[in-house]
Structures are given as structure tokens and as C-alpha cells.
Amino acid sequence: MSLVADRIEQSYWQALQNRRLTLLIGGDMVSKVGDGMVIVALPLQTLRIHSDVNPALAVALIEAAPYVLAVAVSLAFGLGRRRFRPRALLTTDCVLRFTVLSGLALLAMAGQLPLWLLGAALFAGSGLRLLAASSRRLVATGMAGIEGRFAVNGLLGTSDSLTAYVIGPVLGGILATAVSPGFVMLLDGLSFAGLLVVVLVAVPPGTSETVRGPRGSASGWTILRRIPIAAWLFAVVFLFNLFYMPIEVALPLLVRGPLHASGAALGGIWTGFGVGALVGALATNHLRRLPQTALLVAIIAGWGCCVGVLAAAPNIGVAVGAFAIGGLIYAPFTPVAYSLVQSRLDADQQQPVLTLWAAGSAVASPIGLLLGGPLIQLTGTRTGILVSALLTLALVPAAGHALRRAGRAGVMLG
């Protein structure tokens, strides 16, 4: 029987009765709205200052800059034995990103921001962002306790869907056009000042402080090797993210080419995904009693089917519908995956494993993009999307078999 089924899992509403937790999630949402706005504003700012650099190359370099050091730092902690204080790291990241983003914004609004400085500052100023993302999850689930873990992971997923795909990009597009991209960057910086205050007020100093690993403490990689289901879940999450990335390359080409539509239609497709993801994240609250490993595999299968429909979409309406349903199905994936792995780890094992997971997921994105470009160029837009769908569907039996085998090796599965 599932460990999850043996426990009374809290609903979203029950978890939010913890006022400190509610305040933390609210502050997290505000900062994510800021990041969602910058998704739109940053490339617009880049195009203003790219000078003699090829615009496509300039945007690619600036978009990649915040991830390079962040992935390296997360891998160093995930593969090593050192530990960090989640609360202290959160506050440090808030100060760093407030300082860097606000400084860049002021230079941009004054017309004094060169491209090289934008890239260098984003590279250095985002070095802790993945560790901070892991810290937010560790702190929030630590405040909620075991019974509230699934609800908190679901609430964080709801926050991501609402802010990153719905509110943030819409506000960013409006404000970047009406005022300037630099002003949007300033708002993002200020959102981290707000999160800093929230963390200091809402998070008790001792929350999730799994800090200095005792002598002989294991690295995240060692823990994954010791716990079969954690290792297989890591592989499933990495591959699922990897197989998704070619879609981000192909989607604008699909809209401009075979579907003969405009940039507004591309925005409509992403809005459809965001709305579906928001509904799916809210619905995650009602999935907490289902067998979690079976649910995870079903999500992968459902997403693969939606991508297959997208590949064959004859018009924008069908594409929007396919992506909206895809968002609905995709939304519970991250909360379910994190809840599953956290339920199989001891308290002192969670920090290195979740840090390694964050780094692994982030690495999957640039690798998938780098592979997706040649794939789409070689096979064509629709065929490239279809390949993504088929690879995702091929992951279904492999993931199901691997997780069942891990369960037979001594870990109870949902």
C-alpha cells in the first residue's frame, strides 16, 4: 500500500491555515510575477542594445546567462557533501537579485546599459537562483510538515502556473510597451525586496535547517544511487523535460509556417497553456489520494498525446485547444514528482537531492534546445513536434517498468 494512502493528506485550504506559510507563498508569488514579467522584458531590452551583435545571438546569450552559473553552483552542492541553510540562502539570493536587477534597470532607463554588462550581471547575479528555488520548497514543505507536503507542492505549482504563464508575461508585455523594459526589470528587483521582508517575518530561523552535513554525510548523487526510486524519478524528470524542449523551438515556426498565423496567435497558444496549467494546478489538490506513481506515468502519457495533436493541428483553434489541455495535464507533474521523492527521503537527504534535481532539470532545458534546433531543421516543424511526442510516449512504459522495479527492490510505491 502507498505511504501516501496511509497518511491523511491536507488539502490546499488546510495547509493555508498556517499563516506564516500563507505569507511565504504570497511573497513567493509576487517575486514570480516579477520573473514572469522579465521573460517578456529581457529580450525586448536586449533588442534595444544589441548594437552590432546578431539579434538572435544576442537574445540567446542573454536568455542563457542567468542559468550558467546557477546550474554550476547547484551541481556543486548536489554532487558534493556540503549543506547550506535554506533560510539564509533565500535571504542572500533576495538581496543579490534585488541589487543586480535594480542596478541594471536604472542603467537601462538612463540609456547607459551595454549588452556585455547586462549579460555579465545576469550571469553573476543569478548564481543562487536554483539553490533558492530548492530552498523555497524545502522551507515551505518543512513549515507544513509531512501531512501538508503534497498540498504545498501543489500550491507552489499553482503559483508557478498563475505567475509565470498568465499574470507575469501579460503585465510584462503591457508595461514594457507602455513604459520601458528597464522599468519592468526594476519592478522585478523590487519584488525580491518584498520577498526578503516576507522570509524574515514568516520563516522561523530554525525551519528546515539541515545545514552543515555531518561528517560522512552523503552527496545527492550518492543518495540517488542508494534509493532506486529516487534515482529513477530523477531520470524520468530529466528526460520528460528534455523531450519537451524541442516544442519551444518549433512552436513559433509552426505558427508562422504551416498555420499561417501571427505573433498574436502564438501568444494565444501560450495563454491557452497557462490557463490550462492554472486549472490543472488547482485540480492537483484533489489528486492527493490517488496512487502517485501511476498518476505520474499517466501525466506523461497524456502530455505526449496532446503534443501529438499539436503536431497535426490544422488551425490555430486546434493548436490552442491541444496546448490548453496539455497545460491542464502537465500542471500536476512537478508537485507529484517532488512529493513522491520527498516521501522516500529522510530529512537530511532532501536538501542535496532536491538541489541536484533543480540542477538536472535546468540542464535539460539548454540541452533540449540545442538538440531541438537541428531536429526541427532536419525533419521539419510538424515532424519535429511529432518526434517530441513519440519520445515522450516511449518514456511511459520505461518509466512505469523502472518505478515498479524500484518498488520491488525495497521501496513501497504509490
Side-chain angles (χ1 to χ4, degrees):
M1 184 177 292
S2 166
L3 291 175
V4 176
D6 291 339
R7 210 169 48 232
I8 298 176
E9 295 282 350
Q10 291 182 353
S11 66
Y12 285 3
W13 176 249
Q14 289 170 324
L16 291 173
Q17 298 305 300
N18 183 330
R19 293 183 180 180
R20 289 179 179 271
L21 177 61
T22 301
L23 181 59
L24 176 63
I25 291 176
D28 182 55
M29 289 183 70
V30 171
S31 72
K32 287 176 179 173
V33 168
D35 283 347
M37 291 193 295
V38 166
I39 289 175
V40 177
L42 194 57
L44 294 178
Q45 178 63 36
T46 302
L47 292 175
R48 287 188 173 195
I49 61 174
H50 71 88
S51 186
D52 295 330
V53 180
N54 178 274
L57 177 60
V59 170
L61 290 173
I62 295 300
E63 294 279 5
Y67 290 97
V68 179
L69 182 59
V71 168
V73 171
S74 292
L75 283 174
F77 274 94
L79 295 174
R81 297 182 177 182
R82 299 187 63 184
R83 301 292 189 265
F84 55 84
R85 297 181 182 272
R87 182 179 184 271
L89 190 136
L90 260 179
T91 58
T92 303
D93 179 65
C94 287
V95 172
L96 180 62
R97 295 184 72 183
F98 162 71
T99 303
V100 170
L101 286 166
S102 299
L104 289 173
L106 293 175
L107 288 173
M109 289 188 289
Q112 300 297 317
L113 179 63
L115 184 68
W116 71 265
L117 180 59
L118 176 61
L122 290 173
F123 171 86
S126 301
L128 299 178
R129 63 181 294 171
L130 293 179
L131 290 183
S134 299
S135 296
R136 282 195 294 268
R137 192 175 299 274
L138 284 167
V139 168
T141 54
M143 292 171 69
I146 295 174
E147 291 77 12
R149 181 183 292 150
F150 186 87
V152 167
N153 280 319
L155 286 166
L156 292 174
T158 303
S159 169
D160 288 342
S161 299
L162 180 62
T163 56
Y165 297 111
V166 181
I167 298 176
V170 171
L171 284 178
I174 293 172
L175 292 174
T177 303
V179 187
S180 71
F183 178 70
V184 175
M185 292 167 63
L186 178 62
L187 293 180
D188 189 22
L190 292 174
S191 75
F192 282 96
L195 180 58
L196 173 63
V197 174
V198 167
V199 171
L200 293 175
V201 171
V203 182
T207 305
S208 291
E209 300 289 354
T210 57
V211 180
R212 356 177 157 88
R215 264 195 161 170
S217 59
S219 67
W221 183 251
T222 301
I223 295 168
L224 287 178
R225 291 171 61 190
R226 290 176 183 171
I227 304 174
I229 191 172
W232 282 113
L233 280 169
F234 177 81
V236 168
V237 170
F238 177 85
L239 291 173
F240 188 52
N241 289 334
L242 181 72
F243 296 157
Y244 155 77
M245 293 313 298
I247 296 172
E248 294 211 353
V249 178
L251 198 57
L253 301 177
L254 177 71
V255 171
R256 279 194 321 178
L259 297 182
H260 306 292
S262 65
L266 177 62
I269 292 176
W270 279 113
T271 299
F273 177 87
V275 172
L278 176 60
V279 175
L282 293 171
T284 303
N285 183 44
H286 303 289
L287 304 176
R288 60 189 186 277
R289 301 186 190 281
L290 296 180
Q292 299 296 285
T293 49
L295 178 60
L296 195 73
V297 173
I299 291 170
I300 297 171
W303 171 258
C305 291
C306 289
V307 174
V309 174
L310 178 68
N315 53 55
I316 287 294
V318 174
V320 170
F323 228 42
I325 296 173
L328 176 71
I329 294 171
Y330 175 84
F333 180 81
T334 298
V336 170
Y338 271 105
S339 297
L340 251 177
V341 75
Q342 284 184 286
S343 70
R344 271 64 180 186
L345 299 174
D346 294 333
D348 65 335
Q349 296 175 326
Q350 292 195 21
Q351 187 183 104
V353 171
L354 295 191
T355 300
L356 190 58
W357 271 44
S361 297
V363 167
S365 298
I367 293 176
L369 289 170
L370 290 173
L371 295 176
L375 171 67
I376 301 302
Q377 184 177 11
L378 180 65
T379 65
T381 304
R382 289 191 185 274
T383 304
I385 297 175
L386 182 60
V387 169
S388 174
L390 293 175
L391 288 173
T392 302
L393 291 172
L395 184 59
V396 172
H401 173 72
L403 295 177
R404 283 194 300 271
R405 189 173 66 178
R408 288 195 298 269
V411 181
M412 289 190 295
L413 300 182

